Amino acid sequence: MSTMRAMRLHAPGQPLRLEQVPRPEPEAGQVQYRVLACGVCRTDLHVVDGELPSPVLPLVPGHEIVGEVTAVGADVQHLGVGMRIGVPWLGWTCGECEACLAGRENLCSHARFTGYTLDGGYAEYGVADARYCFPLIAEDAQAAAPLLCAGLIGYRTWRLAGGEQNRRLGIYGFGAAAHILVQLAVARGQRVYAFTRPGDDAAQAFARRLGAVWAGDADQAPPEPLDAALLFAPVGELVPLALAQVRPGGTVVSGGIHMSDIPAFPYRLLWQERSVKSVANLTRQDGEEFLALAPTVPIRTETHAYPLDRANQALSDLREGRLTGAAVIVP
């Protein structure tokens, strides 16, 4: 039996372990792929740190995967050996529940997720349901990896907030998703205001370099009211702060899968038809739309590569805010 190296989680709150494990073989409807690059997402931190319940253990994290197909299972027609693919967070849905039948597969109650309830990309090889893989043309696997979640979730968050109809857009938490989304927003003529951890001069300078018209601390007020605010930092205290900065009728959208508790706030912050929404997962249509759109902007990611055996360091650097752009595991 062929084996491979993988970084696996055995219990929440513990470091990942580098192990030699059997190489997974594709079943019917699946493809096997060689991992070329796997982005490190904040959701990976939520899984590893135990903030998301009931991961399937032991687990290979990672869901921003660029791979090369190395074998196909029975009934796979549209993907072949040698093709480059993207493997995202959404790994399987039932196709039969009310949400799926309504075209909202991101809300499927039986969904399975790459790097959470399915093994992901912190490994040399993986398998995935072929229906949920995106064919990729991208030559630079490391640069493309963050598009598979930071890009996709950022895009869905932006659309849920009103997309191009907003002229003044606030982004709270200037990490991987924000550094991708700001490029799309600026290309669409939007004025972007970036909010970071207090005193994070590097992130604020990074935001301005990518086209933000203003960058400051999360507790500061921007020079003008916002039409919408997008939250990518998992900090509940940001919700009332953002509501205080959006105009009447404006929207605050949280793009994260986990957030600390939102503190009580006065009704006047929500009054005048302001709204608060959350984004849950993504759909395959989101992926198809965004991956076709990204090269036309064009969106360019800033990445920092880590070898497979330094995945714990990549997670630590993300947790402690030592990164601008995105961390990527390159086996």
Side-chain angles (χ1 to χ4, degrees):
M1 177 182 292
S2 298
T3 62
M4 68 174 187
R5 295 183 307 145
M7 294 292 288
R8 297 209 297 174
L9 177 70
H10 287 263
Q14 294 185 2
L16 306 181
R17 300 182 200 168
L18 180 63
E19 298 175 339
Q20 200 77 22
V21 298
R23 185 184 301 180
E25 297 296 331
E27 298 178 357
Q30 292 184 325
V31 295
Q32 180 196 71
Y33 57 87
R34 179 171 65 90
V35 178
L36 303 177
C38 182
V40 179
C41 179
R42 185 162 293 277
T43 301
D44 299 339
L45 277 183
H46 296 320
V47 173
V48 170
D49 292 347
E51 293 167 328
L52 291 183
S54 306
V56 175
L57 300 173
L59 174 72
V60 178
H63 59 273
E64 296 180 332
I65 306 163
V66 177
E68 179 183 298
V69 177
T70 47
V72 298
D75 303 323
V76 176
Q77 304 294 330
H78 68 293
L79 298 176
V81 172
M83 291 182 64
R84 186 161 291 193
I85 58 170
V87 183
W89 169 251
L90 187 67
W92 183 90
T93 59
C94 72
E96 299 175 350
C97 68
E98 184 176 355
C100 285
L101 294 176
R104 306 180 74 184
E105 63 185 10
N106 59 307
L107 301 180
C108 174
S109 57
H110 306 290
R112 300 173 190 166
F113 302 103
T114 310
Y116 181 34
T117 55
L118 300 168
D119 277 339
Y122 288 17
E124 293 178 315
Y125 288 85
V127 294
D129 189 318
R131 299 171 300 169
Y132 295 81
C133 298
F134 300 116
L136 292 180
I137 300 175
E139 295 182 5
D140 188 337
Q142 180 177 322
L147 301 179
L148 272 301
C149 184
L152 295 182
I153 289 297
Y155 175 68
R156 186 172 179 86
T157 304
W158 177 77
R159 281 204 305 108
L160 200 62
E164 296 185 35
Q165 73 181 26
N166 298 308
R167 294 296 92 200
R168 299 161 300 185
L169 188 69
I171 299 180
Y172 286 76
F174 209 85
H179 102 284
I180 292 171
L181 184 60
V182 68
Q183 297 175 62
L184 172 60
V186 169
R188 293 295 182 268
Q190 295 175 303
R191 295 170 61 82
V192 175
Y193 298 83
F195 299 82
T196 72
R197 300 182 190 192
D200 193 343
D201 296 335
Q204 292 172 17
F206 185 44
R208 287 190 290 267
R209 176 161 63 84
L210 289 174
V213 298
W214 177 90
D217 295 350
D219 57 358
Q220 291 181 311
E224 56 182 337
L226 306 172
D227 296 318
L230 312 183
L231 275 53
F232 295 116
V235 181
E237 287 85 353
L238 293 177
V239 173
L241 288 176
L243 275 171
Q245 304 307 332
V246 298
R247 60 163 175 77
T251 303
V252 174
V253 183
S254 172
I257 193 171
H258 170 81
M259 177 178 274
S260 61
D261 288 347
I262 300 170
F265 56 87
Y267 176 65
R268 62 178 171 77
L269 294 181
L270 189 61
W271 188 58
Q272 292 185 304
E273 300 189 353
R274 295 175 178 88
S275 63
V276 179
K277 302 178 182 179
S278 70
V279 167
N281 313 313
L282 56 102
T283 66
R284 283 171 285 180
Q285 183 177 343
D286 293 327
E288 291 162 2
E289 290 178 1
F290 177 72
L291 292 173
L293 178 64
T296 70
V297 173
I299 288 175
R300 306 192 186 283
T301 58
E302 181 162 319
T303 61
H304 306 270
Y306 295 77
L308 182 62
D309 60 3
R310 294 192 65 226
N312 287 313
Q313 184 62 54
L315 289 166
S316 177
D317 289 346
L318 176 59
R319 184 185 293 109
E320 300 303 322
R322 291 190 287 262
L323 293 166
T324 55
V328 179
I329 305 297
V330 182

